[in-house]
């Protein structure tokens, strides 16, 4: 086993609370499959046989009991539960399962929907004996109108600056706009080694990381690091060019041990693995070099290396906002070829269902209903003369006669009264919309769900 | 910027067709406006210094001509007569020359800015022109850059004002000038200088060739902004005001051309050796592109060039990369490598030359050794002289015999003090200056210890003034910049200091509160705002607060307090500030955290450990700390030996004290 896969599925979905109030993020239906299915499927497609899933008790219970949430994956899932209220970051979670980790790891977030070729990331990891390799993609503009959001899109999150070398593979620099109060500061020593640096913005981090086992051991020693993306990755990227890692006498193990005694050792990552000495020898004997321009050895003797694969095309979404969720729903059906209409759905002959819609199991769709570009969840009832366009209807929803639903998200078990007209709304779960209601651009949730101030 | 309207008009008047037909113009600045080559350039302007036995300005003119320039304006200032004479004699002023050279001289130019303002005033350029210095050596074909530049201007309506030519060369390349260590941020697609677009590239592998293709606006912009002195000022001004004025600067990167500016002797050395090694092909020594009689030489393998009438003594070796000018004679058993020797030189026997640059009419006696040094016209090196690295013998200097000059010695016939006195009128016409300086030179004797018994010349000190600028001006060989030490733990340190500053701020707040009798509520408010400003967690706030309060007596009265004094001053403080504490210490966990902070402090101040009991007592009485919390803290395992000791020492006393006090409370026994 070369890599162990770890799926992080304990996040609450704090950036789309309206959606995740009743359904935990990993279980949100996307194309009638729980969100968590997508990364699992991704891993299964590339041949993983076992995955460690880090999640909460609640999600685990739902996965094992609720038939709607059934994950049809053949991999062996090793589900590790963490306490929800412990406020654990992703790095904390890795530390939690340190005992289980025997090799290098591939960490995937549960909200990743992508058709990326995973081997590209892993190949970088293998080819350069990297400490970290990760996946990024060009950020997508979300075209769909987001329900309940008035006016133009907010200016969004602050930009990330990502610096890669001339080949576009080596990750040299990473900073968030928020941290750059004095402008972009790049150390000259990096520039001297790798004189061409492309700075890119407008990239999304897919939160997919290949990490060396030593990084997990490092986490175990360093309790202060709690998030992979927020702390660990920037630390590793920075550490590439700090002096202690580039000490010329690499093979000097005595030196390493000395450092350990100093007590600073827990701040350093011990990258030296068993075969490192041999690799070093190979590199010295070989004429291969990763850079041109100066005569120094490959990688300039840097032992900690970070790489990134940036997808040029293909889709890569992180479903962590409402807009992304809607976009993912629109595109997800293209990822798998299952019949759009579930065989157990009862569909009247005289209704209109667009080819780009998905109808879940045991749905009932009555006469003269029209469904376009929408997703209808399992056990949903759609009565006569209902028009559903561009919408996401989750499980167990009842839509009474003559409703018109456009560009909306309707969460589970909601009942929509007869003749209601709902445009660009987000309707929370188990709501009851009165008949003939006209709602536009609203977020309709129960009072218990309103934010405490 | 009033002239922008004017620009547009001009652009419209000349129709496109005319633009194509108009001859390509160039502005050649034959003055460096700095004194990096002093004292050599005191006798000869930099543009006329020989490089590979050809004056540098000839390379520049050849480069311009070969790239298609038909009209060149040469601007001279310092020693303009010499430059003028040189040019009038050269092939550029022959009627057959494809490149018409106009020489414009003025003593008033003090910077590139002045030259370009004059270009604008005289209305010399009508179209895009090439701006270049008189010491640029290049074989780059800029016609492609020119095309790109014209295309951009056509498409974007004169937005692009300048295209700078860069050569790719990795850091550490020897033709990279240490002082000119540019880092460029560019937009890879549009080749524009930029930051802040979605994607840009930061490049440190570019060498500024100091060749720029300018739009006519450049001259106007220099006029508008009379504070622009150098091209760097201009570039900075354009980039800073890019959003306001909409002017842009582009760059053109060449991979295989050669282009470098001889900006100091280090560069002189590298460019000269590149020249001999034929990197600047077709501008090679044997090409005789200046078309002067007798300049020709033959090229044989290992890059050895010999001019006409060169005589070489028995047993002398010319190892590699050697250029010898005409009528030079070399004695027996010499060893010459990587050197350039000018015309009419005589070299004695058993001479070793390595990386030596000897100009014309130099006399070297026997048994001399010269390493990486420059020997100017008419210099005489007597017997058994040893020139170490980076020495400079200026015009007509005599050195030796039997002397060894240390690294970096500069010898000139001009006295350095005379130079200082004349500092102010350095740009005045030269004959005057030379005239009266001669009188002075006579008065000062040469120091035989410095230049040898028969020597003539004065030693110039590398750095006479302390100011950095001056040092740079005197440092002929250019800077040797030490690589900046790579800092390691930047972020860790900053986080630490954040806590520290917070602590200081809290201390300040409390101090002020005490002095000005501020209500505790306001203190809390202030600390809260500090908490947000420094992004400190509640737990840390409480711990730091505890620490600050407990250290307060030390802070105020020095660390030499006795325990009694300490408790005496601390206890009233605790009383005044108890509302502040109460505000932060609410939950059970807070109590424990506070206790651990107290413990930590007294572990450090181990002479005052006995005071801890009283402090805890007081805090208990003031209802800051709860009894259970104290007992719990006491019973939980001590983390290390010292703290165990601490607890042990005080355990009994405290317990007894506590019990006494808490008898009115009901249940101390249970808590135990």
């Amino acid at each position: 086993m070369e890599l162990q896969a770890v799926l992080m599925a304990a996040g609450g979905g704090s950036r789309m609370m309206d959606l995740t109030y009743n359904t935990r993020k990993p279980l949100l239906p996307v194309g009638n499959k729980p969100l968590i299915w997508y990364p699992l499927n991704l891993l299964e497609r590339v041949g993983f046989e076992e995955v460690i899933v880090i999640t909460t008790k609640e999600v685990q219970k739902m996965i094992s009991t609720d038939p709607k949430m059934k994950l049809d994956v053949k991999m062996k899932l090793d589900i590790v539960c963490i306490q929800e209220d412990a406020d654990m970051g992703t790095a904390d979670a890795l530390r939690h399962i340190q005992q289980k980790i025997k090799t290098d790891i591939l960490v995937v977030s549960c909200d990743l929907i992508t058709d990326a070729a995973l081997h590209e990331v892993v190949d970088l990891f293998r080819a350069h004996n990297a400490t970290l390799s990760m996946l990024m993609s060009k950020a997508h503009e979300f075209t769909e109108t987001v329900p309940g959001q008035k006016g133009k899109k907010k200016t969004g999150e602050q930009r990330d600056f990502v610096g890669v070398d001339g080949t576009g593979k080596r990750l040299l620099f990473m900073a968030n706009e928020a941290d750059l109060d004095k402008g972009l500061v790049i150390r000259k020593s990096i520039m001297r080694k790798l004189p061409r640096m492309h700075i890119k913005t407008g990239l999304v981090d897919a939160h997919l990381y290949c990490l060396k086992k030593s990084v997990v051991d490092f986490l175990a020693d360093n309790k202060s690091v709690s998030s992979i993306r927020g702390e660990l990755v920037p630390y590793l990227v920075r550490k590439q060019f700090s002096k202690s890692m580039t000490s010329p006498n690499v093979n000097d193990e005595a030196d390493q041990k000395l450092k350990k005694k100093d007590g600073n050792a827990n701040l350093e990552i011990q990258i030296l693995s068993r075969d490192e000495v041999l690799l070093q020898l190979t590199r010295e004997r070989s004429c291969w070099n990763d850079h041109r321009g100066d005569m120094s050895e490959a990688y300039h003797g840097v032992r900690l290396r970070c790489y990134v694969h940036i997808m040029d095309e293909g889709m890569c979404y992180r479903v962590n906002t409402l807009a992304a969720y809607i976009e993912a729903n629109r595109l997800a059906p293209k990822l798998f070829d299952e019949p759009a209409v579930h065989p157990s759905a009862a569909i009247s002959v005289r209704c209109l269902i667009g080819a780009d819609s998905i109808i879940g199991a045991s749905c009932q769709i009555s006469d003269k209903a029209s469904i376009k570009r929408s997703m209808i969840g399992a056990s949903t009832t759609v009565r006569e003369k209902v028009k559903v366009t561009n919408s996401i209807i989750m499980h167990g929803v009842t839509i009474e006669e003559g409703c018109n639903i456009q560009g909306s998200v309707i969460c589970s078990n909601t009942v929509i009264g007869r003749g209601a007209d709902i445009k660009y709304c987000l309707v929370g779960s188990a709501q009851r919309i009165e008949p003939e209601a006209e709602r536009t651009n609203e977020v309709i949730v129960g009072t218990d769900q309103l934010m405490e101030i | 910027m009033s002239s922008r309207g004017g620009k547009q008009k001009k652009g419209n008047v000349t129709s496109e067709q005319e633009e194509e037909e108009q001859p390509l113009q160039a502005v050649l600045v034959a003055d460096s406006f700095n004194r990096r080559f002093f004292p050599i350039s005191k006798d000869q302007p930099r543009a006329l210094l020989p490089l590979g036995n050809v004056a540098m300005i000839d390379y520049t003119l050849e480069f311009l001509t070969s790239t298609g320039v038909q009209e060149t304006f040469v601007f001279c200032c310092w020693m303009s007569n010499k430059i003028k004479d040189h040019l009038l004699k050269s092939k550029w002023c022959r009627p057959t020359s494809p490149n018409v050279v106009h020489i414009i001289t003025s003593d008033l130019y003090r910077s590139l800015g002045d030259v370009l303002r004059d270009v604008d005033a005289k209305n010399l350029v009508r179209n895009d022109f090439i701006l270049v210095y008189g010491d640029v050596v290049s074989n780059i074909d800029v016609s492609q850059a020119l095309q790109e530049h014209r295309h951009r201007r056509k498409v974007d309506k004169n937005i692009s004002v300048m295209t700078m030519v860069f050569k790719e060369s990795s850091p550490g390349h020897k033709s990279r000038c240490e002082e000119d260590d540019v880092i460029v941020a560019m937009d890879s697609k549009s080749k524009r200088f930029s930051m802040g677009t979605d994607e840009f590239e930061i490049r440190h592998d570019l060498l500024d060739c100091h060749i720029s293709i300018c739009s006519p606006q450049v001259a106007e912009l220099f006029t508008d902004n009379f504070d622009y002195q150098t091209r760097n000022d201009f570039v900075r001004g354009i980039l800073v005001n890019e959003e306001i004025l909409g002017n842009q600067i582009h760059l053109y990167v060449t991979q295989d051309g050669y282009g470098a500016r001889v900006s100091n002797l280090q560069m002189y050395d590298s460019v000269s050796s590149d020249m001999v090694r034929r990197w600047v092909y077709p501008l090679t020594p044997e090409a005789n592109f200046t078309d002067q009689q007798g300049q020709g030489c033959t090229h044989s393998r290992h890059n050895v060039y010999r001019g006409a009438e060169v005589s070489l003594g028995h047993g002398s070796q010319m190892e590699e990369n050697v250029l010898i000018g005409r009528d030079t004679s070399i004695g027996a058993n010499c060893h010459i490598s990587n050197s350039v020797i000018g015309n009419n030189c005589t070299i004695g026997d058993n001479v070793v030359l390595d990386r030596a640059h000897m100009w014309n009419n130099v006399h070297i006696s026997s048994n001399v050794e010269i390493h990486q040094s420059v020997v100017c016209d008419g210099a005489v090196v007597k017997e058994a002289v040893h020139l170490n690295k980076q020495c400079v013998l200026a015009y007509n200097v005599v050195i030796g015999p039997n002397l060894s000059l240390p690294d970096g010695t500069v010898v000139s016939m001009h006295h350095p003090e005379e130079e200082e006195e004349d500092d102010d009128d350095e740009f005045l016409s030269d004959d005057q200056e030379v005239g009266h300086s001669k009188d002075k030179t006579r008065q000062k004797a040469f120091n035989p210890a410095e230049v040898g018994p028969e020597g003539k010349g004065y030693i110039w000190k590398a750095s006479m003034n302390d100011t950095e600028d001056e040092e740079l001006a005197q440092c002929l060989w250019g800077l040797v910049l030490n690589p900046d030490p790579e800092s390691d733990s930047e972020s860790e340190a900053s986080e630490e200091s954040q806590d520290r500053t917070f602590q200081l701020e809290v201390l300040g707040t409390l101090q002020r509160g005490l002095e000005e009798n501020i209500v505790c509520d306001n203190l809390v408010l202030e600390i809260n705002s500090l908490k947000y400003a420094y992004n400190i967690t509640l737990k840390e706030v409480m711990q730091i607060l505890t620490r600050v309060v407990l250290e307060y007596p030390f802070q105020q009265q020095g660390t030499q307090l006795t325990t009694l004094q300490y408790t005496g001053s601390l206890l009233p403080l605790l009383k005044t500030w108890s509302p502040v504490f109460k505000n932060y210490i609410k939950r059970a966990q807070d109590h424990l955290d506070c206790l651990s902070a107290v413990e930590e402090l007294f572990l450090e101040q181990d002479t005052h450990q006995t005071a801890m009991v009283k402090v805890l007592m007081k805090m208990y009485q003031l209802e800051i700390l709860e009894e259970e919390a104290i007992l719990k803290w006491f019973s939980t395992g001590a983390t290390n030996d010292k703290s165990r000791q601490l607890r042990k020492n005080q355990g009994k006393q405290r317990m007894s004290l506590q019990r006494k006090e808490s008898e009115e409370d009901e249940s101390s026994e249970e808590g135990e």
Side-chain angles (χ1 to χ4, degrees), chain B residues 490-649:
Chain B
E490 344 131 62
S491 65
E492 283 93 354
S494 79
E495 243 161 67
E496 281 275 287
S497 71
Q498 197 133 70
D499 279 7
R500 180 84 197 129
T501 37
F502 177 75
Q503 189 172 338
L504 288 175
E505 292 275 0
V506 170
L507 179 68
T509 308
L510 291 180
Q511 222 161 357
R512 204 149 24 84
L514 209 61
E515 282 160 13
E516 298 168 17
N517 248 336
I518 298 172
V519 196
C520 282
D521 284 351
N522 291 350
L523 287 181
V524 169
L525 210 61
E526 220 165 298
I527 292 173
N528 275 346
S529 64
L530 287 173
K531 166 180 178 294
Y532 291 116
Y534 293 97
N535 196 15
I536 304 275
T537 61
L538 204 58
K539 184 182 163 190
E540 283 170 314
V541 170
M542 200 242 311
Q543 287 181 335
I544 289 174
L545 179 73
T546 316
R547 167 168 279 268
V548 167
V549 170
L550 294 185
E551 277 180 351
Y552 196 83
F554 296 123
Q555 201 79 38
Q556 295 300 303
Q557 299 159 36
T559 44
Q560 305 303 329
L561 287 176
T562 63
T563 314
L564 214 61
Q565 282 170 318
Y566 173 73
T567 45
S569 55
L570 181 67
L571 296 184
L573 288 176
L574 280 176
K575 195 176 160 81
T576 23
W577 285 327
S578 65
V580 182
F581 275 106
K582 277 180 195 160
N583 183 65
Y584 290 106
I585 303 172
K586 283 175 182 154
R587 294 172 300 160
Q589 186 59 39
D590 298 341
H591 289 266
L592 289 180
D593 289 339
C594 176
L595 276 168
S596 67
V598 173
E599 178 185 340
E600 201 180 310
L601 183 101
F602 280 102
L603 278 178
E604 280 171 34
Q605 308 278 352
D606 39 9
T607 48
H608 297 295
Q609 280 183 359
T610 41
M612 187 172 171
V613 192
K614 286 187 177 157
V615 170
L616 288 182
M617 197 66 210
K618 189 75 184 170
M619 285 175 110
Y620 168 72
Q621 283 169 341
L622 291 166
E623 290 174 1
I624 297 170
L625 292 175
E626 278 172 21
E627 180 190 346
E628 285 108 71
I630 299 176
L631 291 176
K632 192 174 171 200
W633 166 75
F634 181 72
S635 55
T636 46
T639 40
N640 57 39
D641 290 346
K642 247 187 157 184
S643 61
R644 204 169 296 137
Q645 186 89 29
L646 182 77
R647 280 167 218 221
K648 213 184 205 174
N649 282 348

Side-chain angles (χ1 to χ4, degrees), chain B residues 248-267:
Chain B
Q248 295 177 345
I249 297 180
H250 289 79
L251 39 77
Y252 173 81
V253 177
T254 173
Q255 265 116 34
D256 40 11
Y258 187 89
R261 183 177 175 209
V262 182
S263 49
N264 54 35
L265 274 184
Q266 191 85 56
M267 286 299 285

Side-chain angles (χ1 to χ4, degrees), chain A residues 138 159 161 184 186-189 191-193 195-202 235 238-239 241-244 246 268 292-294, chain B residues 168 170-173 181 183 188 195-205 255 481-488 490-492:
Chain A
K138 292 236 161 65
R159 295 187 295 172
F161 289 92
L184 209 62
I186 294 168
R187 273 207 257 136
K188 205 173 171 187
S189 58
M191 293 308 297
R192 203 171 289 128
K193 285 175 192 146
R196 284 183 84 154
M197 187 192 283
H198 290 272
I199 304 276
K200 301 189 179 205
T201 57
Y235 174 80
R238 214 169 46 231
K239 211 69 187 156
F241 297 100
S242 65
K243 205 157 203 171
S244 50
T246 58
E268 298 284 328
R292 21 177 334 206
D294 57 22
Chain B
E168 261 186 19
S170 327
H173 191 281
D181 208 18
I183 295 180
S188 345
M195 290 275 273
T197 46
D198 255 7
E199 200 181 318
F200 58 92
E201 202 179 346
I202 296 181
R203 298 187 65 163
H204 189 229
D205 61 343
Q255 265 116 34
L481 297 175
N482 298 322
D484 43 350
E486 299 172 36
S487 59
D488 185 6
E490 344 131 62
S491 65
E492 283 93 354

